[in-house]
Every structure is written in C-alpha cells, then in structure tokens.
Amino acid sequence: MDGFWDFVGSYWWLVFPLSGIVGGWAGGVRRWDERRRRDKIEMYRLRYGAEKTAAESEEALTGEIERTLSAHTETERRWLDYELDAVKVLEFPVMTDMREQVTIDFHRARRDAENLRPDDPAELRDRRLLDRYREAVREYQLTFDVAEREAKRRRASDLSAEERRAVDRAKKLLAIADDAGATTSERQSAYRRAMKELEGILVLPDAATAAIEQRIAGELGTGHRPDRERPSG
C-alpha cells in the first residue's frame, strides 16, 4: 500500500490526464444511457401510437358503415311512406308514375343501393365495397329528393279538372275503406268504388292496395282479399 502512495507521490502529474480520461468515459456512459432511454421512449410511443391509430381508424370505419346503413334505411322509409299509403300516392302521383324520368331515376338508384347492401354489415369493412355502397346510397338519396320535390311541386296539376275531381272522390272513398270504425261491407264497397274512380287515371302501387286489402281482410278474420270489380272491356 505504501508503494502505491509512493507511486502517486512520484507521478502526481498523471492525475490530471487520467481524470480527464475517466471523466470522458463516465460522460460517454451517461450519454449512451440517455440515448438508450430516449430510444426506448420513442419505441414505446411508436408502438402504442400505432395501436391507438389503428383503433381509431377501425372506430371511424365502423361509424362510417353505420351512418351509410342508417342513411339507406331512412331513405327507404321515406319511400315506403308513399309506397304503402294510397292516399299519399294520389296527392303526389309523380312518385309512382314510371313515365316520369325523375321517378325512373330514383327507382333505378333504389335498386342499385339495395343490390349493394350486404346481409352482413361486416362485409362493408372492405373499403372498396363500402365506397361503392356509400356512393349508391348517396345517389338514391339525391334522386329521391329530386323526385319528391317535383312531385310536391306538381301534385296533381297534370290531371284535367274532371280527373282531379275523380281523384278527390277516390281519396274520400279510400279513407272510408281504411276506417276501422266502418262496417266491413262499407269498407269493401268504398274500396271498389275508389278503384273504379281511378281507372284510366292513376294506378296505385301493388303494395299500397295490398296493405288496404289486408287491413279490410283482417277485420273479417279470413285473410282473404275483398273482391275487386273487374275493369270493363
């Protein structure tokens, strides 16, 4: 031990360069440790940031699918308000008149959207399928809005005065046919007379007439449709 201190005493001047070396080595260790710490933090951020981004992307996709399906369902509900309501059809005949281009356009768009709607919504997680379906639904919404605006603008203005009077009579008769408070015979008679009034003027959608007939038949408890008068000729 005395030899060591004798050495240090004899070569004290080596303390300064050695301390620099040791200090530099220690500083290098600290810097390396700091870099390693920062690298770990960055790796953590990238890993969990990517997972968070993926989760947010999946959530956004789910929301887009739900909004598109909801928009389709709502547009279909709006159409069924006409399809199943005979009186409403008589008020806005353009909505069911397949001679009108606006009506043809929205029915075509309706068919296209329905064909692209999958039975399992999970299929729409395929972005290509979702994009096609979403565009079809937008076209359905747009063409339906155009047809409805035109129908409300024109109402029954394309009919002659006599035809409008016949349609008005048919509306009143259909109201009786759909009145659960009327007798069955009254309802059946009113229904037949309404159909007679509309002959050669307007054709009600099958769904609308079937709905009325089903309600009348339900009153009888038979499930049979009321007899229609056959058109003459």
Side-chain angles (χ1 to χ4, degrees):
M1 190 68 178
D2 290 340
F4 171 77
W5 290 113
D6 289 341
F7 173 82
V8 171
S10 301
Y11 297 95
W12 58 268
W13 51 273
L14 290 175
V15 171
F16 298 105
L18 287 175
S19 62
I21 294 172
V22 172
W25 175 79
V29 170
R30 285 195 299 271
R31 286 192 297 272
W32 176 80
D33 190 60
E34 179 63 20
R35 282 197 303 271
R36 188 176 64 169
R37 187 183 68 83
R38 287 198 302 267
D39 288 346
K40 286 183 177 180
I41 292 173
E42 182 65 14
M43 289 177 62
Y44 180 89
R45 186 185 68 79
L46 291 173
R47 175 185 173 187
Y48 290 97
E51 290 179 359
K52 181 180 179 182
T53 299
E56 290 174 347
S57 178
E58 284 298 302
E59 185 177 348
L61 179 61
T62 298
E64 188 175 353
I65 291 171
E66 291 175 350
R67 286 191 298 273
T68 304
L69 290 169
S70 178
H72 189 177
T73 299
E74 173 59 18
T75 308
E76 190 70 3
R77 183 200 63 76
R78 291 171 61 197
W79 158 237
L80 289 176
D81 282 348
Y82 292 94
E83 177 79 355
L84 299 177
D85 189 335
V87 173
K88 196 168 183 178
V89 169
L90 295 181
E91 292 175 351
F92 307 105
V94 168
M95 293 302 292
T96 56
D97 190 347
M98 294 303 291
R99 295 169 298 179
E100 297 288 343
Q101 189 60 48
V102 292
T103 309
I104 293 171
D105 289 344
F106 106 73
H107 274 284
R108 182 184 297 117
R110 176 175 179 263
R111 183 186 64 243
D112 291 344
E114 189 60 33
N115 287 340
L116 288 171
R117 182 171 189 161
D119 294 330
D120 184 359
E123 294 179 32
L124 294 174
R125 304 198 81 81
D126 182 323
R127 171 54 67 177
R128 291 172 301 175
L129 295 180
L130 176 58
D131 287 346
R132 289 177 58 200
Y133 175 56
R134 186 184 64 248
E135 288 306 311
V137 170
R138 286 177 177 171
E139 183 68 11
Y140 181 20
Q141 288 177 301
L142 175 62
T143 54
F144 182 87
D145 287 343
V146 170
E148 187 174 51
R149 283 197 299 270
E150 182 67 5
K152 290 181 177 179
R153 182 183 70 82
R154 287 164 54 181
R155 298 182 73 92
S157 62
D158 295 340
L159 304 178
S160 68
E162 181 55 39
E163 287 173 334
R164 285 197 293 272
R165 284 192 289 271
V167 169
D168 286 340
R169 290 192 294 270
K171 288 180 187 176
K172 294 175 182 177
L173 289 166
L174 286 173
I176 295 172
D178 217 15
D179 181 6
T183 66
T184 300
S185 60
E186 287 173 335
R187 294 177 71 180
Q188 289 184 323
S189 175
Y191 178 73
R192 288 194 294 267
R193 289 167 58 198
M195 294 299 101
K196 192 72 173 177
E197 291 283 359
L198 295 174
E199 281 182 11
I201 303 174
L202 292 172
V203 177
L204 294 177
D206 289 342
T209 57
I212 294 175
E213 292 171 358
Q214 211 49 352
R215 287 193 290 272
I216 296 174
E219 290 297 308
L220 293 171
T222 62
H224 296 295
R225 292 184 173 186
D227 294 332
R228 297 193 194 190
E229 290 183 357
R230 296 182 178 272
S232 58

